Amino acid sequence: MASYTGPSIEAINLSKKFGEFPAVSNLNLKIEGAKCVGFLGPNGAGKTTTLKMFTCLIRASSGQALINGINVRTNTKAALASVGTLIETPEIYPALTPREGLRMIAEIRGVPAEEREKRIENAVNEVRMGEWIDKRVGKFSKGMKQRICIAVALLSDPEILILDEPTTGLDPRGMSEVRGIVKSLKSKKRLIFMSSHLLNEVSEICDEVAMIDHGKLIVYDTIANVAAKVSGGANTVEVGVLHPIDQKLLAGKIAKLEGIVSADKRDDRTLTLRFQGGLDVQERLLAELVKLNIGVVSFKPASLELEDAYLKLIQATL
Amino acid sequence: MSQNQTRSGNTVPGSIAQIGIITKYTFLDYFRSRRFLVLVVITALIGILLTAAIGYYRPQALIADSLSFYSSWWGNITTFVIILTGIFFGGDAISGEFQNKTGYFSIPNPIRRSSIYVGKFLAALIASTLILAIFTVITIGNGLYYFPSGIPSQFGESLLFSWSYLVAVLGFTFFFSSVFKSSAISILVTVILFLFGFNIIDVVVSAFAHVEPWFILTYGAAILSSVFTVPYPPHVNTINAGPITLTTYVATIPEGLAIMILYFAVTIVLGLVFFERKEFT
């Protein structure tokens, strides 16, 4: 086995047929390192099927699903030892409490006995279900169950998280909290592979995206590069500034920065900059804007960029 | 770092230990469930009704001697209690993992499906054994009331056979539970087979085709009531009813035990194979 270089997920010619219907076709995808990767595609594209093959819920018709280089089919225990999962909305045995459900998973995963209770309480508190920890799960709402299952996924401090639409079933506040949780996990050297229908969610949380349609991988790259590919190389960033921006400054110095295609005001304190190039250009532009002392308080890829890219790429496969 | 040890220092336990974990939490779930309470109530009700009926009517055929008493009480009712517990705890044990989505909670973990299957089976067996124990206590209580001199040794044998039957019934219900994704269908098929199907096949095959129904589980299980007959009933009985000759068979004790063991072994393995291959689509 190759030397360990960090968490990884790899699909090698991964295929799944339901009867004659090819749900996933020869998927080749390798994701390595601590990052968050969004897995996008329309309904029926093969996202959940792919995630289920990685978590042994269904078996591949052909090809391999590897986690940290270990085949999940032939060595399930070793492959899934480092993985926390949330696929659909799992149901905990209804007569158990969250504490007991989490304890069961903690024991299965070999969380040391002396750390078990603390980890359970931390995980449940992280999803804001602390006051329900000793109530039976049977009468919980879908959103409450979803939160508990996120706690289950975090419980063993896994280096890889496979999440299938983690905000499904949650109210807006719950969605925001879960996004916050996922974002906080990024800082803990984890590989997060997350499917979602919500493009703004993926833009907000993920570093990279893999798009799939009709069971085939369309693209896998950083969000900026994906957006650049479909917009003839132009990307868009939204820049938040502290003070209202001067039109002369915008049309002058800012619009003339190297790589800028267009510079517009969305409102008094937000600029929309279109530029040619990838992450390297984006980084340089940020540095130059800061040097202009215009009070940059935020700098992020425009969420619409991903939506545009998604629509163009998915439409191309119809 | 071994393959089953994670970055966080967790060491995934062996499969035997994981079976124990699944057994513990599944049993806890069963024990607290409404179905367990319902079964306790049904079993207690059966016991109370029998106690009241026998106490009131005092049928001579039944209280003539201890063997007749245990034969009528235990031999006739236990199989019903066993089938009921098998259906309650085994009928949806595996299909529920799919239908109720509890499989999404347990399967995507570093654990073999076989460990989950065996763990759930053991939990169902413990829960069912508790129900059988309640009925046993009620039976012995009544038996000692009418025959305080002691419990016949045949009751001990029958108790052992009953538990063997319980194991076989659970193996069978787990098999059907693995075959079907719908709990309702798996329960329905099990109920039809045990309450009607097996008995009909038994009668047709033995009485009219004159073939010993050694392949029917309920035929083998008849040893748990036959053991109360002294001497043990003949293996084959032929009755001439005019132009028709009817044959009945009584399984011998080794034969009955072999049928139950075989049923358990075959169905538990087949059920596991189905569960291993089944997909959460």
Side-chain angles (χ1 to χ4, degrees):
Chain A
M1 200 166 66
S3 63
Y4 183 72
T5 56
S8 71
I9 290 175
E10 186 174 9
I12 303 172
N13 292 322
L14 193 64
S15 299
K16 178 65 187 176
K17 276 187 169 184
F18 293 112
E20 289 302 305
F21 174 71
V24 176
S25 298
N26 289 319
L27 181 70
N28 285 290
L29 174 67
K30 186 167 188 180
I31 302 168
E32 271 182 305
K35 61 177 81 162
C36 181
V37 179
F39 196 32
L40 297 174
N43 287 333
K47 301 187 300 292
T48 300
T49 303
T50 303
L51 298 187
K52 283 181 177 177
M53 284 191 279
F54 273 107
T55 51
C56 264
L57 287 164
I58 59 177
R59 62 175 65 212
S61 303
S62 61
Q64 295 178 58
L66 308 179
I67 290 177
N68 289 337
I70 303 166
N71 190 320
V72 296
R73 193 77 235 168
T74 55
N75 198 351
T76 307
K77 281 183 80 169
L80 294 183
S82 312
V83 184
T85 65
L86 175 67
I87 308 289
E88 299 197 0
T89 303
E91 292 283 340
I92 300 176
Y93 299 114
L96 299 185
T97 64
R99 187 191 296 279
E100 289 158 349
L102 266 74
R103 210 179 265 156
M104 172 178 140
I105 299 301
E107 288 180 31
I108 286 173
R109 290 183 163 270
V111 174
E114 62 277 11
E115 293 176 24
R116 214 173 279 154
E117 291 307 311
K118 195 179 167 198
R119 282 215 219 167
I120 288 169
E121 283 173 12
N122 287 346
V124 173
N125 287 332
E126 195 159 357
V127 294
R128 297 182 191 275
M129 287 292 288
E131 62 181 297
W132 299 91
I133 193 166
D134 291 315
K135 304 269 192 287
R136 290 193 194 174
V137 175
K139 288 180 179 164
F140 283 13
S141 69
K142 189 181 177 191
M144 292 164 84
K145 288 175 186 171
Q146 187 81 344
R147 285 166 187 254
I148 293 298
C149 290
I150 291 169
V152 171
L154 304 179
L155 180 64
S156 60
D157 190 21
E159 59 179 335
I160 296 173
L161 275 166
I162 296 178
L163 308 173
D164 182 25
E165 300 180 14
T167 55
T168 299
L170 299 176
D171 56 28
R173 186 177 161 190
M175 290 168 92
S176 170
E177 285 170 4
V178 168
R179 278 187 210 124
I181 292 166
V182 177
K183 274 200 245 178
S184 74
L185 295 172
K186 284 171 64 179
S187 61
K188 295 179 183 172
K189 301 285 177 198
R190 284 194 178 92
L191 168 54
I192 303 168
F193 190 38
M194 180 184 95
S195 78
S196 178
H197 279 300
L198 305 174
L199 299 175
N200 60 336
E201 181 173 280
V202 171
S203 291
E204 189 183 332
I205 300 174
C206 299
D207 310 297
E208 298 176 351
V209 285
M211 286 191 197
I212 185 173
D213 194 18
H214 292 95
K216 290 181 179 166
L217 185 70
I218 300 169
V219 67
Y220 168 51
D221 211 329
T222 61
I223 293 176
N225 286 345
V226 169
K229 273 179 195 168
V230 295
S231 60
N235 274 309
T236 304
V237 286
E238 285 177 357
V239 183
V241 291
L242 196 58
H243 309 293
I245 198 81
D246 177 47
Q247 185 60 39
K248 269 170 60 179
L249 182 66
L250 180 66
K253 285 185 177 174
I254 295 175
K256 286 177 183 167
L257 289 172
E258 191 184 339
I260 292 284
V261 176
S262 66
D264 301 296
K265 272 207 284 190
R266 209 180 78 189
D267 56 50
D268 274 356
R269 288 185 171 83
T270 313
L271 308 179
T272 304
L273 305 180
R274 280 173 63 77
F275 64 94
Q276 291 279 350
L279 285 175
D280 50 339
V281 177
Q282 193 172 312
E283 185 191 13
R284 181 177 50 75
L285 282 175
L286 172 61
E288 289 181 6
L289 286 168
V290 170
K291 275 188 208 162
L292 288 174
N293 285 322
I294 56 173
V296 175
V297 291
S298 68
F299 184 90
K300 60 179 183 179
S303 58
L304 282 176
E305 285 295 285
L306 183 61
E307 188 172 324
D308 287 344
Y310 176 86
L311 292 173
K312 283 178 184 169
L313 287 166
I314 297 301
Q315 197 175 33
T317 68
L318 287 175
Chain B
M1 195 166 74
S2 80
Q3 277 203 328
N4 288 346
Q5 191 174 25
T6 68
R7 180 190 66 167
S8 317
N10 309 333
T11 304
V12 178
S15 293
I16 301 291
Q18 287 183 326
I19 288 172
I21 295 164
I22 295 289
T23 303
K24 180 170 74 176
Y25 288 98
T26 309
F27 175 70
L28 189 61
D29 183 49
Y30 282 151
F31 189 70
R32 287 182 186 158
S33 67
R34 193 174 293 161
R35 74 177 70 185
F36 188 82
L37 184 66
V38 168
L39 260 181
V40 169
V41 169
I42 290 175
T43 309
L45 267 178
I46 291 171
I48 290 166
L49 286 175
L50 280 174
T51 304
I54 293 169
Y56 186 76
Y57 294 108
R58 296 197 165 250
Q60 277 310 303
L62 202 138
I63 56 173
D65 60 84
S66 65
L67 277 182
S68 302
F69 173 83
Y70 284 103
S71 172
S72 303
W73 181 300
W74 182 260
N76 291 331
I77 308 298
T78 319
T79 51
F80 174 72
V81 173
I82 288 169
I83 290 167
L84 208 59
T85 56
I87 291 165
F88 266 57
F89 294 122
D92 67 345
I94 302 300
S95 54
E97 294 284 306
F98 296 84
Q99 189 173 325
N100 304 332
K101 293 197 168 184
T102 48
Y104 288 92
F105 177 69
S106 55
I107 302 274
N109 282 295
I111 184 169
R112 292 195 174 93
R113 286 195 186 192
S114 55
S115 300
I116 294 173
Y117 189 87
V118 175
K120 287 183 78 80
F121 179 85
L122 291 175
L125 182 60
I126 294 168
S128 302
T129 302
L130 275 179
I131 300 295
L132 188 63
I134 291 171
F135 190 67
T136 306
V137 168
I138 295 170
T139 306
I140 291 174
N142 275 274
L144 288 176
Y145 175 76
Y146 292 106
F147 305 99
S149 56
I151 303 163
S153 63
Q154 286 89 340
F155 179 73
E157 288 177 64
S158 184
L159 188 60
L160 182 68
F161 301 155
S162 301
W163 193 76
S164 308
Y165 184 45
L166 174 64
V167 173
V169 168
L170 275 177
F172 203 80
T173 53
F174 264 64
F175 164 70
F176 275 109
S177 187
S178 297
V179 171
F180 300 107
K181 275 189 180 173
S182 158
S183 301
I185 293 176
S186 63
I187 289 171
L188 191 67
V189 170
T190 312
V191 168
I192 290 171
L193 266 178
F194 276 98
L195 296 185
F196 313 106
F198 281 151
N199 292 333
I200 292 169
I201 296 167
D202 189 339
V203 170
V204 170
V205 166
S206 56
F208 301 109
H210 313 295
V211 173
E212 184 184 3
W214 55 267
F215 44 87
I216 303 284
L217 177 57
T218 49
Y219 170 71
I223 61 170
L224 67 92
S225 56
S226 303
V227 73
F228 289 109
T229 307
V230 181
Y232 198 84
H235 184 49
V236 186
N237 274 313
T238 307
I239 304 160
N240 289 313
I244 303 168
T245 302
L246 298 173
T247 310
T248 58
Y249 293 88
V250 177
T252 62
I253 287 174
E255 196 181 13
L257 281 173
I259 290 170
M260 289 192 279
I261 290 167
L262 270 174
Y263 253 90
F264 165 69
V266 171
T267 54
I268 201 85
V269 169
L270 281 178
L272 180 56
V273 170
F274 271 97
F275 182 50
E276 290 272 8
R277 299 189 65 79
K278 203 166 224 177
E279 300 190 325
F280 286 79
T281 51

